[in-house]
Amino acid sequence: MVCTANDLQGWKDFPKGLRVLLLDGDSGSAAEIREQLEAMDYNVSTFYDENEALSAFSSSPEGFHVALVEVSTSSSLGGFKFLENAKDLPTIMTSNDQCLNTMMRCIALGAVEFLCKPLSEDKLKNIWQHVVHKAFNAGANVLSESLKPVKESVESMLQHQADSGQNKSVKPIDLENVSRFSDNDNEQSPGCDKYPAPSTPQLKQGARLLDDGDCHEQTNCSTEKESGEHDGECKSVETSFDNLNAESSPQPREPEKALIKEEEEFPNVSKGERAVPQNPHIKKFPKNADCNTSPDKMGVLHDSCETKANRKKIKVDWTPDLHKKFVKAVEQLGIDQAIPSRILEIMKVDGLTRHNVASHLQKYRVHRRQSLPGDDDQKWHNQRDAMQRSYHMQRPIMAYPPYHSNHTLSPAPIYPMWGQPGSQASGVQIWAPPSYPLWHPPESWHWQPYPGVHVDAWGCPMLPPPQAPCFPYNQNIPGLHNPKTVDYRFSMPRSSFEHHPAEEVVDKVVKEAMSKPWLPLPLGLKPPSMDSVLAELSKQGISGIPLGNKGSSISKPC
DNA sequence: GGCCGAATAT
DNA sequence: AATATTCGGC
């Protein structure tokens, strides 16, 4: 018998005595953690092998209240295995690897929390909250025997608090919300926090992920019709979180996988607390991690392919990174050679279909068109002509890389380029250097990484259209006439490693600029000084240029 | 019959 | 608004 009335007695000092299953392949690390836990009066059982741990847990499910499991990317994936197989045990994952993917994978697989190593007392002391949370949130039928005393104990504690007036709440404790109580001192007032209390500061968001507050969209079910192209094919995906690390991924060769959202009805997860996170961008997480052996990638649709009789509608989530890839492909092909099949070919993204690309390309074009100067057709056609004339400029001359925040680990916002309506500033500002003018064209698309640079944000060649200013909206924004402002935007990008045009491309641009002097200069090219022009002209025997209207004299075709 | 792009649906 | 799907033309 694991938990008895005596246990309850002994738990006056809850959570002392809480039984922690510790799984860590590294004995040194395990010993260290164990020591810390025991210093807090937790009752620790150490395992170095997941099979042993699983076996111990399965033979005595009530012998443990919570698991602390190390996951290592370098060695085995035993941690994940344990996580997946000990569904009923609140499992906290720990790792030296702070890669967001690893974290998210853990959470997605059902971990209640992810703790970055090294583990401190601060991080460990509150792990009991998950036990309480489980005790109160698991359905009565799921509530394991070991949790019942926990629940009762806590109820008793709370009731005692309420009775003795320690708690401000006059009303009897709302046991539904009991998990909001924590020993953190930044308590919200009761009723404000509908989320389970996190056990540590770092996982407050993680805790929210486990909440089902975002499930509303999961209920629409539509008729099934799959694109024939990938009929029956399981698609592999990666989370958008990979974007944050993709650039530094140790396996750059691995084809990128599209993040695909489930739109299908998502029935309530029946296995107790193991509800998958309901991130708005990730509609479904794998229950079966075996479909993907890389800890850095998450396979999502495999199991749904297997287990769902009726096929689900899937949606590609065009993450900034994926979009970047798309743009790169478009640039590589040239704007007028970019057709879905070729783009798809270049992108090499698993699971992405030509339809997906076509759809995105359509949007890409539309938005690019909207980003271009003016709305009237003439300008649009002019612009297009200019594009076509110069499509050989396959790379933007002065484009800011649309996305290079691979060092950022901040989980929020995941999609900074996809600002919410009405929150453009906040969405965009993130990507803007602090010195940038905070101006955003009202119609601009949110993908622009920096204010006022949305054309190249879409990967368009930066050649200005004929008879049109490069950035016509400048005309409407007095501040942008400031040469300083223009300098900002025309200066070299802060990170232009992959956007340096090839020399031949530059040559072509220069040649074109020279051969068509009536066109505005491409970005990056400075007009010759008046002196040098006069000198050159006088060399050629031309003199007497009326300086008064030099503009018109050199702006007309010969 | 497949691909593309625009239109339309979700 | 974003993405998928449909449809007509090639």
Side-chain angles (χ1 to χ4, degrees), chain A residues 84-105:
Chain A
E84 288 184 89
N85 288 285
K87 295 287 186 196
D88 289 330
L89 188 62
T91 301
I92 298 165
M93 304 299 280
T94 73
S95 181
N96 287 310
D97 176 20
Q98 302 191 15
C99 155
L100 200 52
N101 273 317
T102 305
M103 295 171 62
M104 286 311 302
R105 187 167 187 202

mmCIF file of all heavy atoms in Angstrom, chain A residues 84-105:
data_model
loop_
_atom_site.group_PDB
_atom_site.id
_atom_site.type_symbol
_atom_site.label_atom_id
_atom_site.label_comp_id
_atom_site.label_asym_id
_atom_site.label_seq_id
_atom_site.Cartn_x
_atom_site.Cartn_y
_atom_site.Cartn_z
ATOM 1 N N GLU A 84 6.603 8.723 -23.112
ATOM 2 C CA GLU A 84 5.448 8.230 -23.866
ATOM 3 C C GLU A 84 4.757 7.055 -23.220
ATOM 4 O O GLU A 84 3.582 6.805 -23.452
ATOM 5 C CB GLU A 84 5.907 7.822 -25.263
ATOM 6 C CG GLU A 84 6.251 8.997 -26.126
ATOM 7 C CD GLU A 84 6.605 8.506 -27.500
ATOM 8 O OE1 GLU A 84 5.693 8.392 -28.311
ATOM 9 O OE2 GLU A 84 7.786 8.213 -27.747
ATOM 10 N N ASN A 85 5.529 6.334 -22.459
ATOM 11 C CA ASN A 85 4.960 5.117 -21.915
ATOM 12 C C ASN A 85 4.473 5.241 -20.480
ATOM 13 O O ASN A 85 3.847 4.326 -19.958
ATOM 14 C CB ASN A 85 5.970 3.980 -22.046
ATOM 15 C CG ASN A 85 6.114 3.532 -23.487
ATOM 16 O OD1 ASN A 85 5.254 2.867 -24.027
ATOM 17 N ND2 ASN A 85 7.190 3.980 -24.130
ATOM 18 N N ALA A 86 4.805 6.333 -19.892
ATOM 19 C CA ALA A 86 4.321 6.540 -18.527
ATOM 20 C C ALA A 86 3.289 7.656 -18.545
ATOM 21 O O ALA A 86 3.444 8.699 -17.933
ATOM 22 C CB ALA A 86 5.476 6.884 -17.609
ATOM 23 N N LYS A 87 2.269 7.380 -19.294
ATOM 24 C CA LYS A 87 1.299 8.441 -19.554
ATOM 25 C C LYS A 87 0.625 8.985 -18.301
ATOM 26 O O LYS A 87 0.236 10.143 -18.260
ATOM 27 C CB LYS A 87 0.216 7.939 -20.511
ATOM 28 C CG LYS A 87 0.731 7.600 -21.899
ATOM 29 C CD LYS A 87 1.050 8.857 -22.668
ATOM 30 C CE LYS A 87 1.436 8.545 -24.106
ATOM 31 N NZ LYS A 87 2.106 9.672 -24.752
ATOM 32 N N ASP A 88 0.491 8.137 -17.349
ATOM 33 C CA ASP A 88 -0.281 8.583 -16.199
ATOM 34 C C ASP A 88 0.555 9.248 -15.124
ATOM 35 O O ASP A 88 0.023 9.677 -14.107
ATOM 36 C CB ASP A 88 -1.041 7.389 -15.601
ATOM 37 C CG ASP A 88 -2.177 6.964 -16.511
ATOM 38 O OD1 ASP A 88 -2.708 7.852 -17.209
ATOM 39 O OD2 ASP A 88 -2.501 5.765 -16.548
ATOM 40 N N LEU A 89 1.802 9.295 -15.374
ATOM 41 C CA LEU A 89 2.670 9.909 -14.377
ATOM 42 C C LEU A 89 3.073 11.300 -14.852
ATOM 43 O O LEU A 89 3.616 11.450 -15.944
ATOM 44 C CB LEU A 89 3.915 9.037 -14.189
ATOM 45 C CG LEU A 89 4.863 9.400 -13.058
ATOM 46 C CD1 LEU A 89 4.158 9.287 -11.713
ATOM 47 C CD2 LEU A 89 6.089 8.490 -13.098
ATOM 48 N N PRO A 90 2.774 12.292 -14.058
ATOM 49 C CA PRO A 90 3.215 13.635 -14.460
ATOM 50 C C PRO A 90 4.727 13.614 -14.637
ATOM 51 O O PRO A 90 5.454 13.286 -13.708
ATOM 52 C CB PRO A 90 2.803 14.524 -13.284
ATOM 53 C CG PRO A 90 1.789 13.752 -12.547
ATOM 54 C CD PRO A 90 2.091 12.297 -12.767
ATOM 55 N N THR A 91 5.156 13.918 -15.811
ATOM 56 C CA THR A 91 6.568 13.778 -16.112
ATOM 57 C C THR A 91 7.190 15.117 -16.478
ATOM 58 O O THR A 91 6.716 15.818 -17.367
ATOM 59 C CB THR A 91 6.771 12.779 -17.269
ATOM 60 O OG1 THR A 91 6.213 11.529 -16.884
ATOM 61 C CG2 THR A 91 8.237 12.598 -17.577
ATOM 62 N N ILE A 92 8.229 15.401 -15.748
ATOM 63 C CA ILE A 92 8.971 16.629 -16.013
ATOM 64 C C ILE A 92 10.238 16.241 -16.746
ATOM 65 O O ILE A 92 10.960 15.342 -16.311
ATOM 66 C CB ILE A 92 9.314 17.342 -14.704
ATOM 67 C CG1 ILE A 92 8.039 17.742 -13.977
ATOM 68 C CG2 ILE A 92 10.197 18.555 -14.961
ATOM 69 C CD1 ILE A 92 8.276 18.115 -12.532
ATOM 70 N N MET A 93 10.477 16.861 -17.827
ATOM 71 C CA MET A 93 11.662 16.544 -18.596
ATOM 72 C C MET A 93 12.756 17.549 -18.272
ATOM 73 O O MET A 93 12.497 18.740 -18.040
ATOM 74 C CB MET A 93 11.354 16.581 -20.091
ATOM 75 C CG MET A 93 10.223 15.669 -20.509
ATOM 76 S SD MET A 93 10.542 13.936 -20.175
ATOM 77 C CE MET A 93 11.591 13.517 -21.565
ATOM 78 N N THR A 94 13.958 17.070 -18.286
ATOM 79 C CA THR A 94 15.079 17.977 -18.084
ATOM 80 C C THR A 94 16.121 17.699 -19.147
ATOM 81 O O THR A 94 16.204 16.587 -19.672
ATOM 82 C CB THR A 94 15.741 17.771 -16.712
ATOM 83 O OG1 THR A 94 16.477 16.549 -16.739
ATOM 84 C CG2 THR A 94 14.711 17.715 -15.604
ATOM 85 N N SER A 95 16.874 18.695 -19.451
ATOM 86 C CA SER A 95 17.916 18.496 -20.445
ATOM 87 C C SER A 95 18.921 19.632 -20.393
ATOM 88 O O SER A 95 18.600 20.746 -19.972
ATOM 89 C CB SER A 95 17.307 18.412 -21.836
ATOM 90 O OG SER A 95 18.318 18.200 -22.799
ATOM 91 N N ASN A 96 20.103 19.303 -20.829
ATOM 92 C CA ASN A 96 21.082 20.371 -21.044
ATOM 93 C C ASN A 96 20.765 21.106 -22.332
ATOM 94 O O ASN A 96 21.173 22.239 -22.532
ATOM 95 C CB ASN A 96 22.482 19.766 -21.161
ATOM 96 C CG ASN A 96 22.990 19.288 -19.828
ATOM 97 O OD1 ASN A 96 22.940 20.032 -18.846
ATOM 98 N ND2 ASN A 96 23.458 18.053 -19.770
ATOM 99 N N ASP A 97 20.083 20.408 -23.166
ATOM 100 C CA ASP A 97 19.760 20.971 -24.464
ATOM 101 C C ASP A 97 18.551 21.886 -24.337
ATOM 102 O O ASP A 97 17.446 21.441 -24.049
ATOM 103 C CB ASP A 97 19.457 19.827 -25.432
ATOM 104 C CG ASP A 97 19.020 20.351 -26.769
ATOM 105 O OD1 ASP A 97 19.309 21.532 -27.052
ATOM 106 O OD2 ASP A 97 18.382 19.601 -27.515
ATOM 107 N N GLN A 98 18.799 23.124 -24.554
ATOM 108 C CA GLN A 98 17.700 24.072 -24.371
ATOM 109 C C GLN A 98 17.026 24.406 -25.686
ATOM 110 O O GLN A 98 16.297 25.391 -25.787
ATOM 111 C CB GLN A 98 18.224 25.344 -23.722
ATOM 112 C CG GLN A 98 18.866 25.047 -22.403
ATOM 113 C CD GLN A 98 19.159 26.306 -21.617
ATOM 114 O OE1 GLN A 98 18.640 27.368 -21.931
ATOM 115 N NE2 GLN A 98 19.978 26.181 -20.599
ATOM 116 N N CYS A 99 17.337 23.627 -26.646
ATOM 117 C CA CYS A 99 16.727 23.835 -27.950
ATOM 118 C C CYS A 99 15.198 23.779 -27.818
ATOM 119 O O CYS A 99 14.632 22.892 -27.189
ATOM 120 C CB CYS A 99 17.236 22.766 -28.902
ATOM 121 S SG CYS A 99 16.162 22.409 -30.251
ATOM 122 N N LEU A 100 14.613 24.734 -28.418
ATOM 123 C CA LEU A 100 13.167 24.859 -28.281
ATOM 124 C C LEU A 100 12.458 23.626 -28.821
ATOM 125 O O LEU A 100 11.405 23.230 -28.328
ATOM 126 C CB LEU A 100 12.699 26.116 -29.016
ATOM 127 C CG LEU A 100 11.346 26.651 -28.599
ATOM 128 C CD1 LEU A 100 11.288 26.831 -27.097
ATOM 129 C CD2 LEU A 100 11.102 27.979 -29.301
ATOM 130 N N ASN A 101 13.060 23.044 -29.824
ATOM 131 C CA ASN A 101 12.449 21.849 -30.384
ATOM 132 C C ASN A 101 12.361 20.738 -29.365
ATOM 133 O O ASN A 101 11.348 20.051 -29.253
ATOM 134 C CB ASN A 101 13.285 21.345 -31.563
ATOM 135 C CG ASN A 101 12.879 22.018 -32.829
ATOM 136 O OD1 ASN A 101 11.701 22.180 -33.075
ATOM 137 N ND2 ASN A 101 13.842 22.448 -33.607
ATOM 138 N N THR A 102 13.468 20.583 -28.684
ATOM 139 C CA THR A 102 13.479 19.534 -27.673
ATOM 140 C C THR A 102 12.427 19.824 -26.618
ATOM 141 O O THR A 102 11.649 18.946 -26.220
ATOM 142 C CB THR A 102 14.867 19.469 -27.020
ATOM 143 O OG1 THR A 102 15.842 19.295 -28.037
ATOM 144 C CG2 THR A 102 14.939 18.338 -26.035
ATOM 145 N N MET A 103 12.412 21.058 -26.207
ATOM 146 C CA MET A 103 11.437 21.421 -25.189
ATOM 147 C C MET A 103 10.019 21.144 -25.671
ATOM 148 O O MET A 103 9.197 20.557 -24.974
ATOM 149 C CB MET A 103 11.590 22.908 -24.840
ATOM 150 C CG MET A 103 12.919 23.230 -24.206
ATOM 151 S SD MET A 103 13.174 25.010 -24.047
ATOM 152 C CE MET A 103 11.842 25.448 -22.970
ATOM 153 N N MET A 104 9.775 21.597 -26.882
ATOM 154 C CA MET A 104 8.414 21.462 -27.368
ATOM 155 C C MET A 104 8.067 19.999 -27.603
ATOM 156 O O MET A 104 6.934 19.580 -27.422
ATOM 157 C CB MET A 104 8.228 22.256 -28.656
ATOM 158 C CG MET A 104 8.166 23.736 -28.443
ATOM 159 S SD MET A 104 7.013 24.221 -27.141
ATOM 160 C CE MET A 104 5.505 23.506 -27.748
ATOM 161 N N ARG A 105 9.068 19.282 -28.011
ATOM 162 C CA ARG A 105 8.771 17.875 -28.233
ATOM 163 C C ARG A 105 8.373 17.216 -26.924
ATOM 164 O O ARG A 105 7.439 16.406 -26.873
ATOM 165 C CB ARG A 105 9.996 17.187 -28.825
ATOM 166 C CG ARG A 105 9.676 15.777 -29.219
ATOM 167 C CD ARG A 105 10.736 15.180 -30.074
ATOM 168 N NE ARG A 105 10.289 13.878 -30.551
ATOM 169 C CZ ARG A 105 11.118 12.937 -30.958
ATOM 170 N NH1 ARG A 105 12.406 13.150 -30.958
ATOM 171 N NH2 ARG A 105 10.641 11.796 -31.378
#
